[in-house]
Amino acid sequence: MLVGAVPNGGSAAERAGIAYGDEVLEINGKSTKGMSSFDALEAIQSDGSVASLVVRRPSSGAEPRALTLQREFTTTKNPVSYRLVERDNGAKVGYLKLSEFNAQSKARVLEALQQLNSRGASSLVLDMRGNSGGVLDGAIGIAGLFSEKPLVLFVTDAGGARQPLYSRESGAVASQPLQVWVNGRTASSAEVLAAALHDNCRAKVVGAKTYGKGIIQGVFGLSDGGALIETVASYATPAGAEINERGIAPDEERIFLSDVLGSSFLDADIKGAAIAQPVCGTRR
C-alpha cells in the first residue's frame, strides 16, 4: 500500500518524515497486503490514540522504519442508529438507520445487527433515506453482512469494460427478511448497496426513486494551472443496470409518515412495513 498524497503540513505523518510514494507495510501490527484504503482506515482507528506503522521508501533502498504516530484526526461520526420495535402481534422488527458511509460504517452496522439479533429481531429495516453516499468500500463490506460474499457492483471503465466487485466478508450475520428504505436523496454508495441487496434477492426496496449518482471522476492538472475533471468509470448494479442519472427504482413506492409528520411517527412506519423475503429472479 502506497502513500497516495503529500501529508498535510504540521501533521504527525509529516513530522515523522512520511512522504508521497512511501510504502506502508504494516498498520498496528497488521500486514497491508490485500488491504483497501477502507481497510487501512479501519486498521488505523482500531488502536486508540496512536497508530503504529512500518514504512519503507522504495526510492532510497533503506530498511523499513517502525513509526508510532499520535492520532490527530477529527472524531469520525457514528453513522448508525438502531432500535427494536414490537408489532401488535409481538413480532420484533430491527430498525437500522445508516446516514452515511465512512470508516466506521461496516463495524457499526455489524454491531447493530449483533445487538438486534440477540434481542430477537425477526425482520429488519435498513433505512438509507437521505444517505448521500461516502466510502464505496463501506457499501461493499456491508453487503457481505447480509449474504455470503455477494456480487455488489460492476465498475465500468471509459472503454466499456466491466470489472465485478464482490464483498470479501467472511460470513453473513443477518438472514432475516429485510426491507431497504430509499428516497430521492439516496445516492452513490447508498444506491450501490440498495441495488446489491435487491439484485442478490436479499431485500425489497421501498420508498422513492433514488438520486442517480454513480460515476468516478478524475482530476487532471493542466500546464496553465487549471484542471480537467473527467469521468473515468461508472457503477452498474449486479443486474447490469447503470446507476448514474437513472437511479434505483423501488419495488414499492411509499410515502413515509415520518417524512410528512416528523420523526415521532417513525415507529408507525416500521410497524406498517410489510417485510417478507423477496421473490428471487425479480429484476428492475
Side-chain angles (χ1 to χ4, degrees):
M1 174 170 289
L2 299 180
V3 176
V6 177
N8 291 331
S11 66
E14 184 196 49
R15 293 196 298 271
I18 294 175
Y20 173 79
D22 283 357
E23 183 178 8
V24 181
L25 304 176
E26 293 183 13
I27 301 173
N28 288 337
K30 298 178 182 178
S31 170
T32 60
K33 186 175 180 179
M35 274 191 183
S36 66
S37 57
F38 182 71
D39 295 330
L41 282 172
E42 282 194 329
I44 287 172
Q45 295 181 344
S46 68
D47 194 18
S49 61
V50 298
S52 300
L53 309 178
V54 176
V55 178
R56 184 173 68 91
R57 182 159 298 167
S59 60
S60 70
E63 291 295 311
R65 297 181 296 148
L67 304 173
T68 300
L69 307 184
Q70 189 74 28
R71 286 182 56 199
E72 298 173 351
F73 309 118
T74 302
T75 302
T76 304
K77 171 187 173 184
N78 179 357
V80 176
S81 59
Y82 64 94
R83 66 173 79 180
L84 193 70
V85 176
E86 189 169 332
R87 296 183 190 268
D88 294 339
N89 64 1
K92 297 177 180 178
V93 182
Y95 168 87
L96 297 88
K97 174 68 174 180
L98 178 58
S99 60
E100 65 179 66
F101 291 86
N102 60 29
Q104 291 194 35
S105 297
K106 185 185 71 177
R108 295 297 187 176
V109 170
L110 174 59
E111 177 184 278
L113 288 173
Q114 290 172 334
Q115 287 293 321
L116 292 171
N117 285 342
S118 69
R119 292 163 62 184
S122 58
S123 60
L124 298 169
V125 169
L126 176 60
D127 186 355
M128 293 194 291
R129 291 175 296 166
N131 185 326
S132 61
V135 182
L136 176 63
D137 280 339
I140 295 173
I142 291 169
L145 301 178
F146 291 96
S147 58
E148 295 292 333
K149 297 184 178 178
L151 171 63
V152 180
L153 76 156
F154 291 99
V155 176
T156 309
D157 66 24
R162 283 187 167 178
Q163 175 68 38
L165 293 182
Y166 293 83
S167 180
R168 295 178 293 140
E169 294 306 303
S170 57
V173 297
S175 59
Q176 301 98 318
L178 172 67
Q179 193 170 101
V180 176
W181 292 358
V182 298
N183 64 9
R185 293 181 294 115
T186 303
S188 192
S189 297
E191 294 175 284
V192 168
L193 179 56
L197 294 171
H198 175 275
D199 288 356
N200 283 283
C201 201
R202 186 61 189 86
K204 185 176 183 179
V205 178
V206 173
K209 188 175 181 179
T210 63
Y211 183 83
K213 181 183 178 184
I215 56 174
I216 304 170
Q217 293 180 312
V219 181
F220 304 93
L222 302 176
S223 59
D224 63 359
L228 173 67
I229 300 175
E230 184 176 358
T231 298
V232 296
S234 63
Y235 301 148
T237 70
E242 289 289 331
I243 293 174
N244 199 54
E245 297 185 349
R246 300 180 185 180
I248 306 299
D251 299 302
E252 174 191 332
E253 292 188 354
R254 182 180 177 189
I255 297 174
F256 296 94
L257 292 174
S258 53
D259 282 339
V260 178
L261 301 175
S263 59
S264 61
F265 286 82
L266 178 59
D267 281 9
D269 282 332
I270 297 169
K271 291 179 180 180
I275 308 170
Q277 292 288 7
V279 178
C280 294
T282 302
R283 292 291 183 265
R284 293 179 188 84

